[in-house]
Each structure stands twice: as C-alpha cells, then as structure tokens.
Amino acid sequence: MKQFMNAKETLITEAIDGVLRASGGALVRLDGFPHIKVVLRADWDRSKVALVSGGGSGHEPSHAGFVGQGLLTAAVCGDVFASPSVDAVLAGILAVTGSAGCLLIVKNYTGDRLNFGLAAERARAFGLKVAMVVVDDDIALPELPQARGVAGTLFVHKIAGAMAEAGADLDRIATAAQAVIRGAISIGMSLDTCTVPGSPKEDRINPGKAELGLGIHGEAGIEQVAFTGAKAAMAMVVDRLLPHMASCDHVAMLNNLGGTTPLEMSVLAEELGRSALGSRVKWIIGPAALMTSLDMHGFSVSLLPVTPEQELALAAPVAPAAWPGLHRFGPVGVRPLPDGLTPIKPEPSPHPQRADLIARCCRALIAAEVDLNALDAKSGDGDTGSTLAGAARALAAALDRLPLADTTQMYRAIGTELSQTMGGSSGVLLAIFFTAAGDAAAGGKNWVGALSAGLDRVQQVGGASAGDRTMIDALAPALAALPDGVAAAAAAARQGADGTSAMTRAKAGRSSYLSADKLSGHNDPGAEAVARLLEDLAQKL
C-alpha cells in the first residue's frame, strides 16, 4: 500500500520533528533520536506535578499531540505499536519532574506496564516522587485477566491535566486519576484492519463484516458481525456498553480510529444520540481522531460517569489543538425556513395516466443508479446516478401531492420539488427546465412545445449547447424527434448520448475540468441518463 513516508526506520522521528515544526515553538524534544523519542512542553518550569504518558506510535494525535498546557507535560514515543524503552521513559521523567513529582499514565499493555514501571522505580532511586496509574477501560474481552487500555486513557489525561495545571498535589491527582479509571469504559468497531508501515495489510475482516471489540494495535476483537450500516453498528456497540454504565449522567468520547471520514463520524454521532444510551449522555468529546490505530476504518465509544468536579476539569481550556473540547450533547436545533423559502403547496389533482408515466420515469432512473454512478466515476465524482435516483425517489413520494390534472401547474410543481430535493447543478438545471415548461404551457404551448421551451431556457442559463458533452446532447435531439413518438425520441437520444463518447473536450459541466484521455470512450452520464429514461419508456408505452 502506498503511504506518505520515506522509510519505516525514520518514520517516527520524522513525524515527531514535523509536529515540533508546526507547534509554533510550544513543543521541543530531547536530543536522543532515534532511541529516545520524548516530546516536551517548551514552557515547562517543573513547579507543578508533571504528567508523562506515551507508548507505541501509530495512535496519533496520542500521545505527542496532547502535550501542552492543561494536558500532558511529556510524551514518550515508541516505534509503531511498540512500547518505548525504560531509558526513554526515564529520560522523560527526569526531564520534567521537579519537587512536586510526576504522574505516569500508562495503558494496560504488558510492555508499557513493564517499561514505565521499571523507569518509575529507577526515578524513585534518584529521589523523585513518581506515581503510576494503569488505564484498563476496554470492555470488549471480559474474560481477559487484565483489560486493555484504549481511548478512555484520554479522560485521565484531561482530568489529571486540569488538576495539575491548577496546582493540585501528586497524591490528589493520582487519586482522582484512579477514580476516572474505575469509571471509564470503552469499546470499538472497525470495517477493516490497519496498515502497519512497511508490512503487508492483514485482510482478517471478511467482506460484509465488521469486527467488534478489536484493539488499538489491530488485535482481533470479540467477534465478526454482519455490517448493515451505521445504525446497527452503533446499536451493537451501545448494547455492549449499557450493562457497564452507572445510573448518573455520562460524557461520551466518540473516537475516530484513523481511517473513518468526518462525514461518517458525524453520522455515528447522530446514531449515538438516537441510541438506547443517548438520553444518558449529557456531554461529548469529538467526534474526532483522538486515539487512533493508524488508518483503521473504525470508531470507538468511551463513556465516563462524571461528577461536577470532573465535568469542570474536562471543560477546562487546554493548549493542544488536537483536543476537541467538551460540548453539550442534546437535541437537534431546528428553526423555520425564512420567508420566501417555505415550500408552496400546490392543490393536488389526480390524473392516473400522468401519475403512471412519472412513476415509470422515476423507476427507470432509480434502476440506473449504480450504472450511472460508475459511468460518472470515469469523468466526474461518481454521483450522477445517486443524484438522479434521489430526486426520483422524492418525486415518486410526492405524486399524491402534485396537480397532475393541470399541465401548467404540474410542470411548475415538479420544478419546485426538484429545486428542494435535488442537489448539484443538475438539480438547478432541471428545476429551471420544468419551471420554464410550466410558463410556456401557461402561454398556450402544447406539451412538446412546453418541454422545448424548457430546454431553451436551460441552454440560456446553463450556457451549454449540443456538442458540449452534456445531457443537452441527448435531450435536444430527443425533443426534436418527440413529435414522431417516444420510440423516435429514444433512438435520437441514444444516438446523441453515444456521440458524447467521441467528444474529447467538454465545454460545460464538471467534465470540462478533465483532460481528453479521461473522457474518451465514455458517454456523458447526464446524456446517458436521458437516453436510458426514454428507452425504458419506449419499451413500456
């Protein structure tokens, strides 16, 4: 798999230096590369309790991304998914610990416990006050003698960081950290494993499946489950969390495991709100990439029952930009549309023949969705089929609200419906097409003349004409042939659509941004949609 890296041997040191260069001077590192990789606060004066965490790299922005005022004092970074050495941890402790002492925050993995634990013993031998807490928030594998430490670790970072910044002593901070650890619970789900730099990707998760409860190093989860969408995925995660929840209000952390798009994460946030535990979540951190697993296409949910003091600590300001903040998790706010945009509701009137014709057109566009998307992917962004199918579904659902018996009002109502439900330039142009057809029908044009007037108006507004490699190349000849019947219009549309494959230079639309070699041999998807629609009608009429 291609990755933006030079060599796996230098990946982490180069990445750390990249973080430092972009920090505006807020972060520095110890001069110990490549074996000692420690990121520090540049402004640290050792007057307060130091917080040191870390572990294997690959979980960015954890841990170096959370070094800064209000969070960590230092992060000790290992290689990808590998614990840092005892010397590296000790170097971090010695670099930041003053008379107030140091708290080590460790995820519950054997390597981290051993290396951080031995480093703590050696630091104590130097006369330093060092406490260590081990986070074990993962509930995925209850049979494990020791649960793993995952994204819930960040609750500890944040609450301990706020207390340290406020001047609390080491014993109070360690006690508070242990209280957070007792309450934090987490579980994740992924559609795919992660790609470890320099190694082949493990294709463990079968097609059509998701893995529930996998670890942040790509370790196998509790089971592979059928994947049917975001709603079911979140429901399975929630079902595992519910038995472990306390009766009070909770804060949720919605964590991107690295390869999930922000759009998907927002959908998952909505499903969390709709879920069985949604009413018990009063605050949320994220959705954001917080404790990732390289490029894993998954998410995790962490929960913490919070006291008022913990809420204040979670909400306290911090310097690191990677921390998304604490926000209220509540209902969706909705306000009425401004005057002038409230949909005009036409007076419905029945006309069975026209209803059947429109329904057939909608079914034809819906059936062509996948093919048109594939065609558009060759010369656009791959959404023509979905755009048209979405509009067709909306129009089909609105049939009983349309003034079908009045041609003029029907055209206008279709134009209004498309302007509200169909996005992109296609939605605007087709709304103009039908609105102009309605105006022409009101002026006495028959249905062919009205549709031709709609085409004229689209060409005026959109600036495209025949030969520009758009839907006009199929629509214009089809309307010209329509007086001879639908079959003749379909044949003309097909000839026009097929002709676009030889047009290697588009003069309008998104295809105009592409080179000739990207367009050659592929029909314009808009023209293809017109041709398929008319061919379907010609077969059935």
Side-chain angles (χ1 to χ4, degrees):
M1 179 177 179
K2 293 185 291 186
Q3 295 172 306
F4 289 108
M5 54 180 273
N6 297 313
K8 65 178 182 179
E9 293 79 11
T10 60
L11 173 61
I12 305 307
T13 56
E14 290 171 353
I16 288 173
D17 279 352
V19 170
L20 302 184
R21 288 186 192 279
S23 72
L27 304 178
V28 295
R29 64 170 170 86
L30 295 182
D31 186 13
F33 275 2
H35 304 297
I36 292 176
K37 299 181 279 290
V38 178
V39 176
L40 319 168
R41 284 178 58 173
D43 63 349
W44 188 246
D45 62 7
R46 302 192 189 204
S47 62
K48 299 175 181 178
V49 173
L51 301 185
V52 178
S53 190
S57 296
H59 306 302
E60 288 70 22
S62 294
H63 300 83
F66 295 129
V67 174
Q69 185 178 6
L71 279 167
L72 299 179
T73 315
V76 188
C77 306
D79 291 328
V80 172
F81 296 165
S83 176
S85 67
V86 174
D87 280 358
V89 178
L90 181 60
I93 296 171
L94 296 176
V96 298
T97 305
S99 60
C102 171
L103 177 67
L104 303 182
I105 302 170
V106 182
K107 298 187 297 301
N108 194 24
Y109 292 95
T110 302
D112 288 351
R113 287 200 317 272
L114 292 176
N115 285 294
F116 277 81
L118 182 53
E121 293 297 332
R122 289 175 59 182
R124 293 184 190 113
F126 283 107
L128 299 177
K129 291 195 300 182
V130 181
M132 186 172 98
V133 295
V134 179
V135 186
D136 56 356
D137 55 309
D138 188 10
I139 63 164
L141 302 169
E143 72 281 0
L144 284 182
Q146 295 193 57
R148 302 174 294 201
V150 287
T153 306
L154 301 182
F155 287 136
V156 184
H157 289 174
K158 183 64 183 70
I159 291 173
M163 294 180 68
E165 196 64 38
D169 63 36
L170 179 58
D171 289 341
R172 280 189 59 208
I173 296 172
T175 299
Q178 291 288 9
V180 175
I181 292 168
R182 286 193 296 271
I185 55 175
S186 300
I187 190 169
M189 174 181 279
S190 185
L191 300 177
D192 202 357
T193 55
C194 57
T195 306
V196 178
S199 301
K201 186 166 186 172
E202 180 188 6
D203 292 326
R204 184 180 71 241
I205 302 176
N206 298 319
K209 297 284 188 176
E211 192 158 276
L212 179 64
L214 71 177
I216 55 172
H217 307 107
E219 309 100 317
I222 187 171
E223 63 178 324
Q224 289 193 16
V225 296
F227 177 72
T228 58
K231 183 180 181 68
M234 182 59 74
M236 283 186 274
V237 166
V238 165
D239 184 60
R240 300 282 176 166
L241 291 168
L242 278 171
H244 300 270
M245 292 181 69
S247 58
C248 59
D249 292 337
H250 287 67
V251 56
M253 182 183 299
L254 184 52
N255 174 50
N256 183 343
L257 284 168
T260 311
T261 65
L263 192 64
E264 293 170 282
M265 292 303 299
S266 294
V267 172
L268 289 166
E270 172 62 7
E271 291 303 337
L272 177 64
R274 294 175 176 178
S275 73
L277 63 77
S279 62
R280 297 163 69 178
V281 174
K282 300 302 181 185
W283 305 270
I284 190 167
I285 299 168
L290 296 159
M291 179 77 73
T292 65
S293 181
L294 294 170
D295 60 347
M296 187 178 285
H297 191 178
F299 71 98
S300 67
V301 177
S302 301
L303 297 174
L304 180 69
V306 285
T307 63
E309 293 78 14
Q310 290 172 330
E311 179 194 345
L312 288 173
L314 289 169
V318 299
W323 183 255
L326 181 74
H327 300 283
R328 279 279 176 179
F329 193 61
V332 175
V334 180
R335 294 184 180 181
L337 287 171
D339 291 342
L341 286 178
T342 303
I344 299 172
K345 297 181 179 180
E347 188 69 31
S349 58
H351 194 292
Q353 292 82 4
R354 289 175 187 162
D356 182 62
L357 177 64
I358 295 172
R360 287 183 181 184
C361 292
C362 292
R363 288 194 295 270
L365 290 174
I366 292 169
E369 179 176 3
V370 174
D371 289 345
L372 292 176
N373 278 344
L375 184 61
D376 189 34
K378 300 179 185 299
S379 58
D381 55 2
D383 67 348
T384 291
S386 297
T387 300
L388 290 169
R393 292 186 183 98
L395 188 58
L399 274 176
D400 60 351
R401 304 195 304 270
L402 296 180
L404 298 174
D406 185 329
T407 305
T408 297
Q409 296 306 318
M410 180 187 72
Y411 287 146
R412 289 171 172 167
I414 291 174
T416 299
E417 183 71 29
L418 294 178
S419 72
Q420 295 166 357
T421 61
M422 188 175 181
S425 57
S426 298
V428 176
L429 292 172
L430 288 176
I432 291 170
F433 176 82
F434 283 104
T435 301
D439 293 342
K445 295 279 189 180
N446 63 18
W447 67 285
V448 176
L451 294 176
S452 297
L455 174 61
D456 291 341
R457 186 61 178 150
V458 165
Q459 290 179 285
Q460 292 171 13
V461 174
S465 57
D468 287 349
R469 204 182 194 279
T470 69
M471 68 176 178
I472 304 297
D473 290 297
L475 187 56
L479 287 177
L482 192 55
D484 297 326
V486 175
R494 170 50 59 198
Q495 183 177 359
D498 290 346
T500 61
S501 66
M503 298 177 186
T504 57
R505 185 61 185 169
K507 299 178 183 177
R510 188 166 291 164
S511 294
S512 62
Y513 308 139
L514 301 177
S515 60
D517 62 308
K518 297 290 185 182
L519 300 176
S520 180
H522 309 301
N523 286 8
D524 175 77
E528 180 66 22
V530 173
R532 291 199 182 198
L533 175 59
L534 287 168
E535 286 170 340
D536 185 89
L537 292 179
Q539 291 176 358
K540 296 174 181 177
L541 292 178

